[in-house]
Amino acid sequence: MSSTAVETHPFWLAGRAVAGVETFEVTSSWDGSVVGRVSVPGAEQVEEAVAAAAGAQREFGATPAHVRAAALEQVAKGLGERAEEIARLITAENGKPVKWARAEVGRAVSVFRWAAEEARRFNAGEAQRLDTDPGGVGRLALTRRFTRGPVLGIAPFNFPLNLVAHKVAPALAVGAPIILKPAPATPLSALLLGEILAGADGLPAGAWSVLPVPNDRMPALVQDPRLPVISFTGSDTVGHQIADSVPRKHVTLELGGNAAAVVLADWSSAEDLEWAATRIATFANYQGGQSCISVQRVIADASVYDILAEKIVAKVREQVTGDPGDEATDVGPLVNEAAAERVADWVDDAVGKGAKLLTGGTRTGASYAPTVLAELPGSAILATAEAFGPVLSLHRVNGPDEAFAAVNDSRFGLQAGVFTHDLRLAFRAHRELEVGGVIIGDAPSYRADHMPYGGVKDSGTGREGVTYAMADYTYERVLVLTGLDL
């Protein structure tokens, strides 16, 4: 694609399309073509957006629930009507295979639909009698939730639409203005969402902005006191820097992981192992491994390890790599060549320290072949870091004690998958594993967008998932009524 034919996309300032003086190009990691050109907001325009959000807080918070719900329904409908166009855009800017891009659009539609439903149900209030002690006679407490203030949402590149939706939809559902900052590598999906938001009725000016602010200009926005809530999804390093820089703000962090799939001894039939191998191979590679809950570690009981390892390697080799726009492609390129080079360096580090390379281990441009390692030494970078690439390692253990200890032997704690039929072991895993979610009978990569999602340790703080994010953006305020005849 020639740069002269490329569209320049405006950003969205307080609900209206605005062009900046500067622009930057978004390129395909598959073929290097220019996908789009994006206007960059200047300092004065960023200030206008923040002032508009602060100014809209009271009006938006008082908007009737049915108005907010109707606007969210319109957005869900708009996304659904343009689903194929948006999926192709995600593929172009992100390198995600189109079949996975379509799934992402479908999830984003559901997020806005659920937010519309929850906007009608949320914050009905809870009444509490206070006359359980003599001093409370004639008193009734009514507790409701109110927004903490405007939200700064900072989204990652790996799900450029759905993880934007997870920040925008809950904010609009509770009446909290939001400024959304998309990832520099993949801003086009968020800007298209802005186009759809602009067509929704009932959202006051200032209720939302989409600002592709360069990363080096973000500290001032992060520290602006008019944005008391920050919702960040990205690397643990950047997330902790943000939290440390604003200790008095309400900060939600959805950070990295090195998710484990545990296969216990009772998961041993041919059908069991076929299912586990298929799910592990798929979800170690389905976003090029660029998912916080992609399978990075397989922890298998010694009684099933050998046959499972053989099946996993075979399934990984079956993954179709190549052009992300091809319907048959399972694994596309990483977000850029530098990301693929990093993964290659880490795999080389592991092999150099004694790991066995069972398949993969090659790079072509921004693409890295799906890779399986065994006997990964603890000194390897991949033993402790988040790979964020199509790489998994196999680990042999004896029994659930060793398996669960291996899961917890990590500074991350986002999700874990446990393949077992034993209900007692399922509940034990739920009790003992130091993660935000335990998936029984499947890979750790399962996520329903309306369930609570988030981690512990270096995987973050707070929870996403529509109703959980709505609660996170609000706080409880109690009203005490006096002199009542109860």
Side-chain angles (χ1 to χ4, degrees), residues 82-459:
R82 300 176 67 176
E84 184 63 19
E85 172 193 356
I86 299 169
R88 291 290 175 179
L89 182 62
I90 291 171
T91 294
E93 69 172 341
N94 174 273
K96 181 174 300 191
V98 68
K99 68 180 182 181
W100 294 114
R102 291 189 184 111
E104 179 174 350
V105 178
R107 290 176 63 184
V109 171
S110 295
V111 168
F112 276 95
R113 175 173 54 82
W114 282 319
E117 295 170 359
E118 294 299 336
R120 292 188 171 96
R121 288 192 286 260
F122 190 75
N123 205 23
E126 179 180 346
Q128 180 182 13
R129 295 180 66 126
L130 301 180
D131 60 356
T132 52
D133 285 316
V137 171
R139 297 178 188 267
L140 180 76
L142 177 66
T143 303
R144 298 168 60 205
R145 302 191 72 88
F146 293 84
T147 63
R148 299 177 186 273
V151 177
L152 173 60
I154 305 173
F157 70 81
N158 56 331
F159 289 86
L161 179 67
N162 195 43
L163 293 185
V164 166
H166 269 286
K167 301 191 184 305
V168 173
L172 300 183
V174 298
I178 182 167
I179 293 176
L180 189 283
K181 189 268 189 197
T186 57
L188 302 181
S189 302
L191 293 171
L192 193 151
L193 174 62
E195 184 180 332
I196 295 172
L197 283 166
D201 299 323
L203 299 177
W208 62 274
S209 294
V210 181
L211 303 181
V213 177
N215 287 347
D216 61 3
R217 287 170 44 196
M218 280 302 293
L221 198 54
V222 165
Q223 293 169 20
D224 195 304
R226 294 168 294 178
L227 301 171
V229 179
I230 298 175
S231 178
F232 172 84
T233 301
S235 74
D236 59 301
T237 300
V238 175
H240 291 142
Q241 288 173 348
I242 289 173
D244 291 344
S245 72
V246 286
R248 295 182 182 177
K249 287 196 177 191
H250 183 81
V251 180
T252 297
L253 302 175
E254 197 281 281
L255 307 177
N258 58 357
V262 176
V263 184
L264 296 177
D266 69 295
W267 198 270
S268 58
S269 72
E271 183 180 3
D272 285 343
L273 295 175
E274 183 75 9
W275 166 258
T278 299
R279 299 297 283 181
I280 288 166
T282 298
F283 290 103
N285 299 291
Y286 76 123
Q287 310 285 340
Q290 298 170 123
S291 168
C292 300
I293 48 176
S294 66
V295 183
Q296 184 170 331
R297 299 180 291 158
V298 178
I299 299 168
D301 190 86
S303 63
V304 298
Y305 178 92
D306 289 334
I307 187 169
L308 178 67
E310 181 180 340
K311 287 180 175 290
I312 289 174
V313 170
K315 296 289 183 183
V316 168
R317 287 174 177 163
E318 290 173 4
Q319 295 286 300
V320 178
T321 61
D323 183 351
D326 190 318
E327 300 285 348
T329 298
D330 298 312
V331 185
L334 275 68
V335 69
N336 53 43
E337 191 164 351
E341 289 173 346
R342 175 191 56 77
V343 172
D345 288 345
W346 287 6
V347 171
D348 289 346
D349 168 78
V351 173
K353 292 174 178 175
K356 289 186 177 179
L357 180 65
L358 302 184
T359 191
T362 59
R363 179 181 71 85
T364 304
S367 297
Y368 195 80
T371 296
V372 181
L373 298 170
E375 299 180 23
L376 183 68
S379 61
I381 297 170
L382 284 169
T384 56
E386 178 181 30
F388 226 62
V391 178
L392 66 85
S393 58
L394 305 178
H395 305 263
R396 187 192 305 263
V397 294
N398 292 297
D401 289 355
E402 286 188 15
F404 294 171
V407 173
N408 290 339
D409 185 19
S410 170
R411 64 186 181 89
F412 295 108
L414 193 48
Q415 291 197 164
V418 180
F419 290 87
T420 182
H421 297 290
D422 189 326
L423 191 59
R424 292 170 298 179
L425 283 174
F427 276 97
R428 179 182 169 189
H430 194 205
R431 183 176 65 252
E432 294 185 7
L433 296 184
E434 298 165 358
V435 294
V438 178
I439 314 300
I440 300 298
D442 204 351
S445 316
Y446 176 81
R447 178 183 180 184
D449 291 285
H450 52 309
M451 76 182 195
Y453 178 77
V456 295
K457 300 193 281 192
D458 278 354
S459 289

